[in-house]
């Protein structure tokens, strides 16, 4: 049963009487790391596993304690009831080959708890009442009608629906490779505020026949999703988001990036976790709006990468640190038996904006604390020399090459006003029309100063190489004028130094960090990578798919383009 709070705290220091809290006033590592509620996307009857239909309250208004010393925080949360709703929402556990159906329900209040900006392309109900929402399964390979297209939004009780709305119940086929996906809001112009308010949750697709022989850490104790994100809070506990834009005469509220100094893991600020001296598996999801993390352990513990985004690697890769862009997932094993100390701090030193922004401070440079028990014990888990092999990137199979250029536009004060891909908005006619079952080479050209995490719906891709652009000003001027990489002689300008693709990021991914001033070549596959089977759905149906930058403030304004598959 769902209900909304009778009192809503409006996010404004002026109206609440609360100021911005100093994060250093909050003691770190005082709250235990929560584990999110779990929901199975299947059930067993008479020994037969069958599809399950779920009803998950999409965004009721709830109250959550992010820190022992913070007042309760109004949030938007997922759950099967108002009593179980949480941020992040419940972890959905699905089984390969068994369909899961989810009716995402909207129980949001009439008004948002965060400031919105109607001057950017935004889902807006005709009566201006109700907060629109639509859910995207990030990394899911499913039909367009269940992909959560940005304009397929709906308000509470499905009272009003967006122009591309399809149906109330989404169908997740669960036929892709096993791995990690996550669900989140994907509403036109509101994604940044709806996620900031709390609309996120994990979706793990398991394939016991394939995964059990690996003998990786498993079970609720030793296999944990970690949602990491940043927030700022007011002294009354509410989430703080600046209500004044960087170009207020153009966009009254929109800012190019949101950064918070309080680092939250699974809904708690700088939590702690007590672990035994053995291997644990962590599925680390960067659910920040714009913050990149470079994770490392202060005591020298290493990351053993077994997967990246939604797919396993072919073999494990060991690193001392790992960089995660917004929406990227690092699937890692940590062997606490290797620790020379009884405490390990998971820390962060990624500049923000990434890669050339501010250095971390005493607050956002810490993530969480692991307290390691002294006694050693027998560990039944292992990390095998080989994991799951998928096909390599076959360039000879590519049907075409596309050029994808990223632009940022500024006002006369030099501050960003909006960002585009190929100088086009989501509303402009579709130009990317891959054929179902084919592969394509995309040359992604970053003409901005930021690193942009590129996310492609439906498709999986491998990063081939990253090459620095020479005479960048000349090339950028030409691109700004005619937006044609071939006529602007990309081949001549793509002659600088190579940037190596990290070994643990050389597998099949759905997000990759596009470095500024570089052209990044990727091979995108619009078919399964684990089997030759065709999609069990019509990928050419309406409303199609999208691809976009996953810095949410960029995506909303309006660094997103349509992707329409053809037969």
């Amino acid at each position: 049963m769902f209900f909304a709070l009778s009192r809503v705290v409006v996010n404004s220091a002026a109206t609440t009487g609360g100021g911005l809290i100093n994060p250093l006033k909050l003691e770190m590592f005082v709250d235990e790391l929560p584990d999110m509620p779990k929901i199975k996307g299947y059930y067993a009857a008479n020994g037969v596993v069958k599809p399950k239909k779920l009803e998950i309250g999409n965004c009721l208004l709830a109250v959550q304690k992010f820190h022992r010393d913070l007042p309760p925080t109004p949030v938007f949360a997922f759950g099967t009831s108002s009593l179980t709703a949480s941020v992040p929402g419940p972890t959905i556990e699905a089984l390969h080959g068994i369909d899961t159906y989810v009716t995402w329900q909207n129980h949001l209040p009439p008004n948002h708890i965060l400031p919105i900006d109607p001057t950017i392309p935004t889902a807006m109900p005709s009566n201006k009442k109700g907060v629109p929402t639509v859910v995207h399964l990030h990394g899911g390979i499913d039909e367009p009608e269940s992909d959560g297209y940005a304009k397929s939004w709906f308000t509470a009780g499905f009272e009003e629906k967006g122009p591309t709305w399809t149906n109330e119940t989404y169908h997740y086929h669960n036929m892709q490779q096993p791995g990690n996906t996550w669900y989140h809001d994907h509403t036109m112009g509101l994604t940044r505020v709806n996620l900031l308010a709390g609309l996120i949750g994990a979706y793990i697709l398991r394939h016991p026949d394939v995964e059990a022989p690996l003998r990786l850490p498993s079970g609720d104790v030793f296999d944990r999703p970690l949602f990491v994100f940043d927030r700022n809070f007011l002294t009354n506990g509410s989430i703080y988001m600046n209500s004044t834009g960087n170009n207020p005469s153009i966009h009254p509220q929109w800012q190019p990036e949101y950064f918070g100094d309080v680092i939250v893991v699974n809904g708690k600020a700088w939590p702690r976790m007590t672990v035994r001296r053995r291997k644990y598996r962590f599925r680390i999801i960067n659910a920040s709006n714009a913050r990149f993390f470079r994770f490392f352990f202060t005591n020298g513990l290493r990351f053993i990468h077994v997967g990246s985004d939604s797919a396993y690697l072919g073999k494990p890769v060991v690193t001392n640190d790992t960089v995660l862009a917004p929406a990227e997932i690092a699937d890692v094993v940590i062997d606490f038996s290797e620790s020379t100390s009884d405490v390990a701090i998971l820390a962060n030193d990624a500049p923000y904006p990434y890669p050339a922004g501010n250095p971390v401070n005493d607050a956002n440079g810490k993530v969480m604390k692991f307290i390691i028990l002294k006694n050693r014990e027998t560990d039944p888990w292992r990390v095998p020399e080989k994991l799951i092999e998928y096909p390599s990137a076959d360039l000879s199979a590519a049907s075409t090459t596309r050029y994808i250029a990223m632009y940022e536009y500024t006002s006369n004060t030099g501050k960003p006003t909006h960002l585009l891909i190929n100088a086009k908005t989501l509303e402009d006619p579709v130009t990317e029309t891959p054929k179902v079952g084919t592969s394509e080479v995309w040359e992604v050209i970053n003409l901005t100063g930021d690193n942009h995490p590129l996310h492609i719906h439906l498709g999986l891709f491998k990063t081939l190489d990253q090459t620095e652009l020479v005479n960048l000003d000349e090339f950028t001027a030409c691109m700004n004028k005619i937006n044609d990489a071939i006529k602007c002689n990309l081949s001549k300008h793509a002659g600088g130094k190579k940037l190596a693709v990290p070994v643990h990021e050389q597998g099949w991914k759905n997000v990759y960090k596009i470095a500024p001033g570089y052209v990044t070549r990727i091979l995108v596959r619009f078919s399964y990578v684990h089997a030759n089977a065709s999609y069990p759905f019509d990928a050419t149906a309406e409303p199609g798919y999208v691809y976009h930058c996953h810095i949410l403030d960029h995506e909303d304004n309006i660094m997103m383009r349509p992707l329409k598959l053809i037969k």
Side-chain angles (χ1 to χ4, degrees), residues 56-69:
I56 297 178
N58 182 0
C59 358
L60 81 152
L61 187 63
V63 171
Q64 178 153 329
K65 284 277 287 184
F66 282 95
H67 186 276
R68 180 193 66 187
D69 300 328

Side-chain angles (χ1 to χ4, degrees), residues 14-260:
T15 57
T16 61
L20 188 64
I21 197 166
N22 179 353
L24 296 179
K25 298 289 186 182
L26 298 174
E27 185 179 351
M28 293 183 180
F29 317 132
V30 298
D31 291 296
E32 293 290 336
L33 176 77
D35 197 8
M36 312 325 299
K38 294 180 175 61
I39 302 175
K40 291 192 184 303
Y42 58 92
Y43 74 99
N46 299 321
V48 178
V49 180
K50 297 184 177 182
K52 190 173 183 179
K53 295 181 179 180
L54 303 176
E55 290 186 1
I56 297 178
N58 182 0
C59 358
L60 81 152
L61 187 63
V63 171
Q64 178 153 329
K65 284 277 287 184
F66 282 95
H67 186 276
R68 180 193 66 187
D69 300 328
L70 269 179
T73 300
V75 294
F76 291 165
F78 286 110
T80 55
S81 76
S82 58
L83 298 177
T84 61
S86 58
V87 177
T91 297
I92 301 174
E93 296 187 328
L95 204 57
H96 180 82
I98 306 299
D99 303 79
T100 297
Y101 299 85
V102 182
T103 300
W104 299 104
Q105 299 175 332
N106 184 338
H107 298 277
L108 284 176
N111 300 306
H112 214 290
I113 58 174
L114 294 171
I116 64 173
D117 192 333
T119 65
I120 65 175
T122 301
M124 195 67 66
S126 59
N127 61 6
K128 297 185 179 180
K129 291 182 179 179
V131 178
T133 184
V134 64
V135 177
H136 168 56
L137 180 58
H138 180 113
I141 298 179
D142 290 296
E143 60 210 28
E145 299 94 328
S146 298
D147 191 59
Y149 197 81
K151 295 189 288 185
S152 297
W153 52 266
F154 57 96
T155 58
F158 300 100
E159 180 178 349
E160 191 158 349
K161 305 172 181 116
T164 64
W165 185 86
T166 54
N167 44 51
E168 295 184 6
T169 299
Y170 278 17
H171 181 187
Y172 301 122
H173 296 266
N174 300 326
M175 289 296 295
Q176 65 196 73
Q177 75 289 340
N180 306 298
T181 63
W182 61 297
Y183 59 92
H184 62 76
D185 180 84
H186 204 265
T187 308
M188 185 82 174
L190 297 175
T191 302
R192 72 196 187 288
V193 288
N194 284 351
L195 266 70
L196 199 64
L199 296 182
I200 57 176
Y203 188 111
I204 300 173
L205 179 57
R206 303 190 187 277
H207 195 330
D209 291 345
V210 172
E211 295 180 282
L214 300 177
R215 289 177 54 199
L216 292 168
S218 64
D220 293 346
V221 174
F222 300 104
D223 182 359
R224 303 278 295 271
L226 297 181
F227 267 98
V228 187
F229 50 88
D230 57 338
R231 295 290 185 270
N232 280 322
F233 296 94
L234 297 175
T235 55
N236 65 3
S238 60
I239 297 168
Y240 173 74
M241 185 181 195
N242 197 329
S243 59
T244 303
N246 65 324
N247 283 293
S249 63
I250 301 172
H251 298 305
Q253 185 278 327
W254 181 81
Q255 294 264 356
E257 289 97 15
Y258 174 93
F259 295 111

Side-chain angles (χ1 to χ4, degrees), residues 53 105 108 150 163 222 238 329 364 377 394 399 408 416 435 448:
K53 295 181 179 180
Q105 299 175 332
L108 284 176
F222 300 104
S238 60
I329 302 175
N364 57 48
E377 57 182 82
D394 183 5
S399 60
E408 180 178 82
K435 187 176 180 181
T448 81

